[in-house]
Amino acid sequence: MKKLFFILAMVAFGAAAATAQVVQTPVMGKTGIRLYDKRVPRTEIILPQVKGYNIYKGDFHVHTIYSDGEVTPRERMREAWYDGLDVIAITDHLEIRTYEKFMLKALQPYSKDGKPFVYANAGAGNKKDKKAPMLSNLNAGYEEALSYIEKEEIPILAIRGTEIWRRPNIVGEYNALFLKDINAICHEDLFESFRRVKEQGGIIIHNHPGWRRPTMDKSEEQVRIYGEGWVDGIEVANGTTLYPKMVDRCVDEKLFISASTDVHRPSSQVWSRDCGIFRTMTFILAKECTEKAIKEALLKRRTIGYSANNLIGEEVWLKEFINEAVDCKVIAVNEKKGHRGFQLTNTCSIPFILRRGKLVYVLNPFQSLHINISRDKNTGEFYKPEFTVDNMWTVGDKHPKIHIAIDK
Ligand SMILES: [Zn+2]
């Protein structure tokens, strides 16, 4: 027995000694890469500085499960980071809360009297009772997003906003941004809601002006809404739908240009970052990425719309943008053949489609092209490196003709 005990003791000791030698491997993905959520690489969209301003990338129109979107506010914040944005506004509908009924169904057993909660969509979204009381806290989505980015230290600027919509559709849809309290602007009278946005110092964007309408001309209601001076900006792109004709209205009525995703599903389902197209966004020319500086830039109309590698805006900003983004050098002067050779280098993440007569050049991000440009046979002068930029849109539904500065 003693002998058996001794053997058992030796086996136990041996096992303990062997255990002590086991190296504790940290938990990793199979590839050996740590798969931390927060550290999924961000897409960096490199843009030039223009006239001393940085260009910040903003999406001022997204939805979450707090209205009819399909992801949470915190997921919208993570996406914004992955997608390369600097600023985002969650703009859940003031009047539509698709998932409320599902949640109330789930909560039914917890009601005090055992009866189901009543689904009470706020304001005019409720077909049955337009004066139905507002039972939701409409700031909840923004507050969830804000506390999440603070806790996770995600450097994204989140703007408090909402989307306003009333029947009939010809009234249009509008985003109100930089609000203090979304609950306080909820009112059955649309115009009263607008007044309250302005009282809070909010700004208003006319969304997708061609949405479910045969024309973009102003409806009767829109004549009033614009006439009151409530509109500050227009979406010239919503998702991949462009409204370049709206640049004219922006210029005429001194409104800023905006472009946004209006994304309802996860952004990765709509925008694949591997195909060279970023999500639709507004480029904002500002000194810093603070609420004050971004708002100031919008109101001073220093913006360019971006959608599927198209840039939409006022010519002044488009000209500055491409001139800062593209380096143009003379690399040869060939007197015999009568041309100058240029090297054009694109230093930003956006491609440029340059047209000279019948020739089209695609100047991809971070690539150089050699282009020969001849001289005017009458004057003997060399032509300038001037191109119509086919993926830029400006006033008159036109592509601007832009002279690229040489050796700047
Ligand atoms: Zn929307």
Side-chain angles (χ1 to χ4, degrees):
M1 187 64 195
K2 259 187 186 173
K3 201 176 175 184
L4 180 64
F5 178 77
F6 179 70
I7 289 165
L8 283 174
M10 283 307 286
V11 168
F13 176 74
T19 308
Q21 284 167 16
V22 170
V23 177
Q24 294 293 320
T25 324
V27 178
M28 288 184 158
K30 278 180 187 165
T31 54
I33 298 167
R34 277 181 189 272
L35 298 172
Y36 282 153
D37 182 346
K38 220 173 110 180
R39 302 193 186 168
V40 170
R42 167 177 163 93
T43 299
E44 284 301 346
I45 303 165
I46 308 298
L47 302 176
Q49 270 211 334
V50 171
K51 288 217 163 202
Y53 294 109
N54 301 313
I55 300 187
Y56 296 104
K57 291 138 274 178
D59 189 351
F60 298 115
H61 191 169
V62 307
H63 295 278
T64 79
I65 53 166
Y66 284 76
S67 63
D68 58 349
E70 299 192 8
V71 304
T72 58
R74 56 179 62 201
E75 184 57 29
R76 285 284 177 241
M77 296 298 113
R78 280 197 290 267
E79 284 176 345
W81 166 252
Y82 303 151
D83 293 347
L85 296 182
D86 303 301
V87 47
I88 186 165
I90 290 185
T91 52
D92 277 318
H93 292 279
L94 194 63
E95 302 88 357
I96 304 165
R97 293 193 293 281
T98 306
Y99 298 101
E100 195 178 57
K101 58 189 166 201
F102 298 113
M103 187 49 73
L104 291 178
K105 221 174 181 178
L107 292 172
Q108 185 180 324
Y110 300 101
S111 68
K112 262 186 187 168
D113 52 8
K115 286 184 191 158
F117 286 98
V118 180
Y119 174 49
N121 223 343
N126 187 343
K127 279 186 234 169
K128 285 183 198 150
D129 180 7
K130 290 194 178 217
K131 288 183 182 171
M134 188 192 65
L135 297 179
S136 299
N137 171 16
L138 299 171
N139 294 300
Y142 169 78
E143 283 159 5
E144 182 190 319
L146 191 66
S147 68
Y148 182 73
I149 55 176
E150 281 171 0
K151 184 172 145 266
E152 295 295 320
E153 298 169 354
I154 299 175
I156 288 282
L157 176 67
I159 307 285
R160 192 190 302 256
T162 188
E163 183 167 23
I164 304 171
W165 160 79
R166 300 298 153 89
R167 288 194 170 84
N169 287 335
I170 51 166
V171 174
E173 288 193 293
Y174 303 84
N175 274 355
L177 309 176
F178 303 99
L179 298 175
K180 293 188 175 85
D181 177 11
I182 303 170
N183 295 328
I185 67 155
C186 206
H187 196 278
E188 60 180 315
D189 175 9
L190 170 72
F191 303 121
E192 179 56 28
S193 282
F194 279 124
R195 269 190 289 274
R196 292 178 179 195
V197 169
K198 293 292 164 178
E199 263 169 33
Q200 290 190 20
I203 66 171
I204 289 172
I205 299 174
H206 181 194
N207 296 342
H208 37 64
W211 177 72
R212 293 185 188 171
R213 299 193 61 207
T215 163
M216 284 190 283
D217 295 338
K218 290 175 193 164
S219 64
E220 206 181 303
E221 294 84 350
Q222 289 175 359
V223 169
R224 166 144 188 220
I225 293 163
Y226 276 79
E228 294 277 0
W230 286 328
V231 178
D232 302 289
I234 303 177
E235 259 183 11
V236 298
N238 176 282
T240 50
T241 306
L242 307 188
Y243 306 104
K245 282 188 176 156
M246 285 294 111
V247 178
D248 296 44
R249 190 186 288 174
C250 285
V251 169
D252 291 346
E253 304 194 23
K254 299 201 170 7
L255 309 172
F256 72 85
I257 277 160
S258 169
S260 18
T261 56
D262 195 1
V263 71
H264 287 66
R265 288 185 280 152
S267 82
S268 58
Q269 283 184 12
V270 191
W271 314 96
S272 166
R273 54 179 170 178
D274 299 326
C275 70
I277 291 173
F278 309 113
R279 64 192 273 174
T280 299
M281 62 184 78
T282 306
F283 294 162
I284 309 131
L285 286 68
K287 293 278 183 194
E288 54 182 11
C289 193
T290 59
E291 199 163 307
K292 194 175 163 212
I294 296 293
K295 189 176 174 186
E296 190 257 359
L298 297 183
L299 293 174
K300 292 267 171 73
R301 303 160 56 215
R302 296 194 305 268
T303 58
I304 296 171
Y306 166 88
S307 174
N309 285 339
N310 291 280
L311 297 175
I312 311 153
E314 291 186 43
E315 202 164 327
V316 54
W317 295 122
L318 296 178
K319 266 185 181 163
E320 291 287 340
F321 183 94
I322 191 167
N323 261 295
E324 291 298 338
V326 175
D327 284 340
C328 177
K329 286 185 176 62
V330 177
I331 51 165
V333 180
N334 192 324
E335 292 294 348
K336 210 170 137 196
K337 290 186 180 168
H339 68 237
R340 280 193 299 181
F342 292 93
Q343 177 168 302
L344 299 177
T345 304
N346 184 355
T347 65
C348 84
S349 296
I350 312 299
F352 297 105
I353 302 171
L354 309 173
R355 186 158 48 84
R356 265 183 69 80
K358 286 177 186 164
L359 291 173
V360 176
Y361 307 93
V362 179
L363 183 55
N364 279 317
F366 312 113
Q367 288 186 357
S368 294
L369 277 181
H370 285 175
I371 295 174
N372 292 335
I373 298 179
S374 61
R375 49 169 111 234
D376 186 328
K377 279 178 189 135
N378 298 320
T379 65
E381 299 268 308
F382 282 117
Y383 287 117
K384 290 171 180 168
E386 200 169 42
F387 303 91
T388 300
V389 187
D390 278 0
N391 62 325
M392 285 183 161
W393 301 79
T394 193
V395 169
D397 206 5
K398 284 194 180 121
H399 306 303
K401 197 170 187 183
I402 294 176
H403 170 217
I404 312 273
I406 305 166
D407 290 330
K408 57 176 183 295

